[in-house]
Amino acid sequence: RKEVEQDPGPFNVPEGATVAFNCTYSNSASQSFFWYRQDCRKEPKLLMSVYSSGNEDGRFTAQLNRASQYISLLIRDSKLSDSATYLCVVNRGGGGNKLTFGTGTQLKVEL
Amino acid sequence: GAGVSQTPSNKVTEKGKYVELRCDPISGHTALYWYRQSLGQGPEFLIYFQGTGAADDSGLPNDRFFAVRPEGSVSTLKIQRTERGDSAVYLCASSPDSSNYGYTFGSGTRLTVV
């Protein structure tokens, strides 16, 4: 079983739609959590950290459920420019800030 | 510079050759990380430095891979006797220290072994 699992998609949604991505992680000792965005042939870029209380950044909302070891990302009012791969990322802890990435979920926002 | 800089951006090499990939981190960042991303996969951890020393090299796939950071700034990832399976994008990242931040990646070196 992979340490971080995501549905690879693609998710094809019309502009303006709301879309949700989910992710599960296997290591219960994981300490911090992130969503990264990666455009085609570009480096991953930090989208947002994920906190147990849930957090929002504009149209993006992230949630963490430690009991279920589950992370989510909700995008409201999708834009064409949101088309990218969204990577779920976990810091296992234990020192060193090593990140473990999921394989990513591809989002295509269409007219 | 303002961001993490990696050179070259692309490298094509023949099987069996030696390659060096360079990473210039954000000025003042003490922690530096190398990851490798194969097609259709997320980045995978290779090695991280805190200052000059390799604090964790558990992700290096075998002894053909080696990395250095002699002065605590620029780092070089070295691959000996390259194999076709080494073809990937090699990503470098840096952070102010090794606390639990999400860090910033460079644009990567795309290595192709033919």
Side-chain angles (χ1 to χ4, degrees):
Chain A
R1 182 186 171 192
K2 288 186 178 178
E3 193 165 338
V4 179
E5 295 215 51
Q6 295 181 252
D7 180 344
F11 284 57
N12 298 318
V13 303
E15 202 174 16
T18 295
V19 61
F21 304 138
N22 304 316
C23 162
T24 57
Y25 61 95
S26 61
N27 189 332
S28 60
S30 297
Q31 294 187 350
S32 52
F33 309 88
F34 309 93
W35 284 100
Y36 273 71
R37 170 193 168 128
Q38 187 168 28
D39 293 290
C40 188
R41 297 181 75 87
K42 299 286 190 182
E43 72 275 18
K45 293 185 178 177
L46 178 62
L47 179 65
M48 59 197 301
S49 300
V50 187
Y51 304 114
S52 297
S53 54
N55 50 298
E56 189 173 305
D57 183 1
R59 298 182 293 108
F60 298 82
T61 301
Q63 295 274 356
L64 167 65
N65 184 322
R66 284 188 183 269
S68 302
Q69 295 179 202
Y70 173 95
I71 305 162
S72 67
L73 176 68
L74 183 78
I75 306 175
R76 291 181 299 279
D77 188 23
S78 301
K79 310 291 184 192
L80 295 175
S81 58
D82 294 333
S83 298
T85 296
Y86 290 83
L87 296 159
C88 177
V89 185
V90 169
N91 180 330
R92 277 187 264 159
N97 197 20
K98 287 159 49 177
L99 300 183
T100 301
F101 287 77
T103 55
T105 298
Q106 188 178 11
L107 172 66
K108 296 181 181 178
V109 182
E110 302 165 332
L111 285 171
Chain B
V4 178
S5 176
Q6 291 188 246
T7 54
S9 54
N10 281 283
K11 175 72 177 177
V12 180
T13 191
E14 291 180 349
K15 180 175 176 296
K17 298 290 189 185
Y18 168 82
V19 296
E20 290 190 350
L21 312 179
R22 176 188 167 108
C23 173
D24 200 339
I26 293 171
S27 179
H29 281 192
T30 60
L32 184 148
Y33 306 83
W34 284 99
Y35 283 75
R36 176 169 75 171
Q37 186 171 23
S38 301
L39 194 63
Q41 302 296 315
E44 294 178 313
F45 171 79
L46 295 177
I47 184 171
Y48 111 88
F49 290 86
Q50 183 58 46
T52 60
D56 185 336
D57 64 357
S58 61
L60 295 177
N62 51 59
D63 61 6
R64 295 186 297 104
F65 289 75
F66 189 71
V68 295
R69 195 187 185 198
E71 297 177 358
S73 179
V74 171
S75 176
T76 305
L77 178 65
K78 308 180 181 195
I79 311 174
Q80 297 177 320
R81 305 183 304 280
T82 51
E83 299 177 357
R84 292 197 179 90
D86 299 335
S87 297
V89 176
Y90 290 81
L91 294 161
C92 177
S94 69
S95 68
D97 56 35
S98 57
S99 302
N100 294 338
Y101 303 128
Y103 33 72
T104 300
F105 285 92
S107 55
T109 294
R110 184 174 300 274
L111 176 66
T112 304
V113 182
V114 297

